[in-house]
Amino acid sequence: MAPFVPLRERLPVPRLAPILLLLLALAGLGAGTALAQEPTPPPAPATTAPQPSEGVRVSGSLNNAGERLGGVTVRARDTTGAEVAEATSAADGRWAMTVPPGTYTFEVDEQSLPDEVSVQGTVQRDVVAGRANTVIFSFGESRSGFGTSGWETLIRTVVDGLRFGLVIAIAGVGLSLIFGTTGLTNFAHGELVTLGAVAAWIFNVSLGIQLIPATLLAIGVGIVIGLLNNGLIWAPLRRRRTGLIAQLVVSIGLAISLRYLILALFSDRAEAFADYQGQRQLEWGPIAITPVNLACIVVSLVVLVGVALLVQRTRIGKAMRAVADNRDLAAASGIDVERVVRFVWGLGGGLAALGGVLFGLSELGGRVQWEMGFKLLLLMFAGITLGGLGTAYGALLGCVIVGLLVQLSTLIINPDLKYIGGLLVLIVVLVVRPQGILGSRARVG
């Protein structure tokens, strides 16, 4: 029998370098469009007053700390102060009007507001044809940011970084397990994240299912998509003994195809979930967090602990670790390697779907975007590379560190550029410690 040689020693680090360098190049090409945009969802139609026959649609949602404000009048005035259009919000707080392109001041008629509800002021907006024109009003007393000290801001940013890192870990653990058991660097994993979020949105908005059961259904869809990915594409390629570089190219093509299929069938604009919008922050001393972000942290921790116990304590988990260490020896020991790989693909698809929903809720303001998974892909690769390719615990540690670094970078750079921190992490890891924090140095020669 052949001596026991771990998988990471049979795949030396130099062979991984071209893969990761290709990732860096793709991230550089997509960073501009993926990071700069922050589209907003178009609200549903509301009861409106007579509007101009031609113009641009402007919309919004009136939400006072979770209370939807219906029957409230919204007006648009041009630069001369003349009223151009008027709309009345529906029962769910949504309103819409049509105005010609130009600069307008939008105001809420305070007489139409419920008792003890006040609006903080007017909103000036340049209305441009061809893009989503959304107006957001703030209700309640105005609060100044000057009351927050530097150390309180730092603590809140650290908490937000932990939340973001856990979300990245949920989506990235499956990617790391797939690499560990098959050696495949799956560039299409980001699209599994997007498909999970889109499935949850369809169940929640189109079918009217509350978001929590809709998320559970989306996880089921993610498991099915993962199994179909393996059964229709990767299992046949493995049977043909297709090389890992060829499989890498296939995954890139699959990622591009799925991304633009989602664009064609879903929407080119962000679409909002129906639940958990406009929440008020909970404050405990210097810590301030919304209930939905707190729930994302709790869910992420519970799921990650469950995955750790699965990998460490169960028979299938031990089989996964055996296949990751030495596929041939595991097969010779009686382990059904293909069954283990199918399980890993299903697990990875389900985790990716859950990560997509959590990413949309906590990082994108409760919205779903057609390329959200592509945005997250670089950070997932940065996290699992930092922690150690092919290890579940390394993926968790690396992703949490990347999330912290990305959020802390907003104290120095423009928040729109914060995802570039993932690219810098990849560069530093490849130069200083290519095997990652928990990875072992490979033997060469």
Coordinates of all heavy atoms in Angstrom, one line a residue, residues 63 118-121 123 136-140:
N63 N -41.1 54.8 6.1 CA -40.9 53.8 7.2 C -40.4 54.5 8.4 O -39.3 55.1 8.4 CB -39.9 52.8 6.7 CG -39.9 51.5 7.6 OD1 -40.0 51.7 8.8 ND2 -39.8 50.4 7.0
S118 N -42.7 62.8 13.1 CA -42.2 64.0 12.5 C -41.2 63.6 11.5 O -40.5 62.6 11.6 CB -41.6 65.0 13.5 OG -40.5 64.3 14.2
V119 N -41.0 64.4 10.4 CA -40.0 64.2 9.4 C -38.9 65.1 9.6 O -39.1 66.3 10.0 CB -40.6 64.3 8.0 CG1 -41.1 65.8 7.8 CG2 -39.7 63.9 6.9
Q120 N -37.7 64.7 9.3 CA -36.5 65.5 9.6 C -36.2 66.6 8.6 O -35.4 67.5 8.9 CB -35.2 64.6 9.7 CG -35.3 63.6 10.9 CD -34.0 62.8 11.0 OE1 -33.0 63.1 10.4 NE2 -34.0 61.8 11.9
G121 N -36.9 66.6 7.4 CA -36.6 67.7 6.5 C -37.0 67.2 5.1 O -37.5 66.2 4.8
V123 N -35.7 66.5 0.9 CA -34.7 65.8 0.3 C -34.5 66.4 -1.1 O -35.5 66.4 -1.9 CB -35.0 64.3 0.2 CG1 -33.9 63.6 -0.6 CG2 -35.1 63.7 1.5
I136 N -35.4 58.8 0.0 CA -35.6 58.2 1.3 C -35.7 59.4 2.3 O -34.8 60.3 2.4 CB -34.3 57.4 1.7 CG1 -34.2 56.2 0.7 CG2 -34.5 56.9 3.1 CD1 -33.0 55.3 1.0
F137 N -36.8 59.4 3.1 CA -37.0 60.4 4.1 C -36.6 59.8 5.5 O -36.8 58.6 5.7 CB -38.5 60.8 4.2 CG -38.9 61.6 3.0 CD1 -39.6 61.0 1.9 CD2 -38.6 63.0 2.9 CE1 -40.0 61.7 0.8 CE2 -39.0 63.7 1.8 CZ -39.7 63.1 0.7
S138 N -36.1 60.6 6.4 CA -35.8 60.2 7.7 C -36.8 60.8 8.7 O -37.2 62.0 8.6 CB -34.4 60.7 8.1 OG -33.4 60.2 7.3
F139 N -37.3 60.0 9.6 CA -38.3 60.4 10.5 C -37.7 60.4 12.0 O -36.7 59.7 12.3 CB -39.5 59.4 10.5 CG -40.2 59.5 9.1 CD1 -39.8 58.6 8.1 CD2 -41.2 60.4 8.9 CE1 -40.5 58.7 6.9 CE2 -41.8 60.5 7.7 CZ -41.5 59.6 6.6
G140 N -38.4 61.1 12.8 CA -37.9 61.2 14.2 C -37.0 62.4 14.4 O -36.8 63.2 13.5

